[in-house]
């Protein structure tokens, strides 16, 4: 993310995820949020060592970073940040949002998540500060109807509905888990993820059975 290009940017969307691998569900979500909320930029933030997932259970962060970079290349509004993958410790969303809030004062921050992730919000560290620092855009995801989210989460947090906007996107029942399973079974993943990502996965033999954590040389 270059500071020169970030200068005139006012509304910034942050899209956090494991991105193991990134897929069309993530991209459609980010693009719809960008347009609906007039975001000047969407920054994809691949997680380093996700606190809610077992260490070693996810693919090397460098692979995930490179696949995310390949996926967003064709969209001038999209960029990728290394902030979480540079951290050695578990990456909590609050640290990432604080990082962007400090470095980009005067900007309005939006955190884009799927409906399943917003359901986890109560388990997130410092969620109250999170709600002060950014506005959430919670998008529909098959299996997680928005009504259910409103009914379960909203009554528990006063004022939540002012800080969380719900957005319906064209339903895409794609998950990274589904893609990993298909690759391991030798099934095609064409059109589930952008072609450069598909090629990267095959080139590096990611998600093949018996190849749990594929490492890549650090390119720094
Ligand atoms: P996994 O199956 O490994 O959990 P995932 O597909 O859920 O992967 P994540 O990297 O965990 O992908 O998700 C990052 C963010 O994108 C989360 O907020 C998640 O809710 C959202 N998301 C993922 N897939 C979709 C989808 N198909 N539609 C809408 N949102 C999605
Ligand atoms: Mg997930």
């Amino acid at each position: 993310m270059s500071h020169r290009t970030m200068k005139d940017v006012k509304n910034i969307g942050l899209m956090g995820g494991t991105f193991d691998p990134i897929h069309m569900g993530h991209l459609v979500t980010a693009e719809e949020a960008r347009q609906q909320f007039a975001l000047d930029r969407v920054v994809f933030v691949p997680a380093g060592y996700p606190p809610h997932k077992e260490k070693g259970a996810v693919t090397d962060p460098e692979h995930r970073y490179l696949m995310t970079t390949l996926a967003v290349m064709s969209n001038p509004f999209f960029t990728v940040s290394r902030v979480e993958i540079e951290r050695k410790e578990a990456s909590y969303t609050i640290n990432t949002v604080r990082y962007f809030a400090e470095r980009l004062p005067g900007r309005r921050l939006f955190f884009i998540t799927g409906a399943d992730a917003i359901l986890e919000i109560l388990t997130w560290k410092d969620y109250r500060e999170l709600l002060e620092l950014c506005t959430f855009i919670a998008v529909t995801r098959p299996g997680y109807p928005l009504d259910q989210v409103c009914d379960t989460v909203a009554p528990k947090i006063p004022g939540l509905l002012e800080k969380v906007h719900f957005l319906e996107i064209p339903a895409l029942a794609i998950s990274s888990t589904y893609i990993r399973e298909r690759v391991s079974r030798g099934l095609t993943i064409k059109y589930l993820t952008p072609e450069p990502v598909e090629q990267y996965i095959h080139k590096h033999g990611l998600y093949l059975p018996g190849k749990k954590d594929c490492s890549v040389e650090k390119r720094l």
Side-chain angles (χ1 to χ4, degrees), residues 109-184:
L109 296 181
F110 293 79
F111 198 89
I112 307 163
T113 71
D116 57 320
I118 202 77
L119 277 173
E120 278 176 30
I121 191 173
L122 290 171
T123 72
W124 286 358
K125 208 173 152 241
D126 304 315
Y127 72 90
R128 279 176 202 284
E129 188 191 343
L130 254 183
L131 289 173
E132 268 161 40
L133 289 177
C134 66
T135 299
F136 279 82
I137 302 171
V139 306
T140 49
R141 196 175 174 185
Y144 300 91
L146 285 182
D147 293 356
Q148 186 202 319
V149 177
C150 292
D151 295 349
T152 31
V153 184
K156 293 180 190 155
I157 308 176
L160 181 89
L161 292 180
E162 283 117 68
K163 295 303 304 223
V164 180
H165 297 282
F166 295 94
L167 177 66
E168 292 212 27
I169 59 151
L172 280 181
I174 304 174
S175 70
S176 302
T177 304
Y178 179 65
I179 292 182
R180 293 194 301 272
E181 279 172 9
R182 288 188 64 94
V183 174
S184 76

Side-chain angles (χ1 to χ4, degrees), residues 5 17 25 30 33 46 49 60 79 91 98 105 111 124 136 138 143 164 172 181 201 220:
T5 53
Y49 298 101
D60 188 302
T79 57
S91 49
R98 271 192 205 127
F111 198 89
W124 286 358
F136 279 82
V164 180
L172 280 181
E181 279 172 9
I201 289 168
L220 284 176

Side-chain angles (χ1 to χ4, degrees), residues 5-213:
T5 53
M6 288 304 271
K7 228 174 75 187
D8 304 317
V9 165
K10 290 190 189 75
N11 294 334
I12 299 168
L14 302 174
M15 176 92 191
T18 315
F19 303 129
D20 192 14
I22 189 162
H23 54 70
M24 293 308 190
H26 299 128
L27 295 161
V28 168
T29 296
E31 178 67 0
E32 189 64 14
R34 177 190 75 73
Q35 186 155 62
Q36 294 288 327
F37 290 83
L39 306 179
D40 302 294
R41 187 68 45 97
V42 176
V43 183
F44 286 73
V45 189
Y49 298 101
H52 300 294
K53 297 202 181 183
E54 243 177 81
K55 217 173 176 179
V58 297
T59 305
D60 188 302
E62 294 299 332
H63 276 314
R64 293 184 287 105
Y65 170 76
L66 288 172
M67 288 190 283
T68 308
T69 302
L70 288 172
V72 306
M73 255 165 35
S74 61
N75 191 324
F77 295 100
F78 290 180
T79 57
V80 189
S81 166
R82 290 182 60 89
V83 63
E84 289 198 5
I85 66 171
E86 296 291 355
R87 286 203 198 107
K88 293 288 161 266
E89 75 280 20
S91 49
Y92 285 96
T93 300
I94 184 66
N95 297 329
T96 301
V97 174
R98 271 192 205 127
Y99 171 91
F100 284 101
E102 278 162 20
R103 271 158 194 80
L104 302 164
R107 270 57 157 228
R108 196 160 169 212
L109 296 181
F110 293 79
F111 198 89
I112 307 163
T113 71
D116 57 320
I118 202 77
L119 277 173
E120 278 176 30
I121 191 173
L122 290 171
T123 72
W124 286 358
K125 208 173 152 241
D126 304 315
Y127 72 90
R128 279 176 202 284
E129 188 191 343
L130 254 183
L131 289 173
E132 268 161 40
L133 289 177
C134 66
T135 299
F136 279 82
I137 302 171
V139 306
T140 49
R141 196 175 174 185
Y144 300 91
L146 285 182
D147 293 356
Q148 186 202 319
V149 177
C150 292
D151 295 349
T152 31
V153 184
K156 293 180 190 155
I157 308 176
L160 181 89
L161 292 180
E162 283 117 68
K163 295 303 304 223
V164 180
H165 297 282
F166 295 94
L167 177 66
E168 292 212 27
I169 59 151
L172 280 181
I174 304 174
S175 70
S176 302
T177 304
Y178 179 65
I179 292 182
R180 293 194 301 272
E181 279 172 9
R182 288 188 64 94
V183 174
S184 76
R185 289 161 57 204
L187 300 174
T188 175
I189 54 165
K190 217 177 214 345
Y191 313 124
L192 297 176
T193 188
E195 199 168 332
V197 176
E198 180 201 343
Q199 284 169 357
Y200 186 97
I201 289 168
H202 295 320
K203 184 175 170 206
H204 295 272
L206 303 184
Y207 313 126
L208 294 175
K211 253 195 170 184
K212 252 195 151 181
D213 188 8

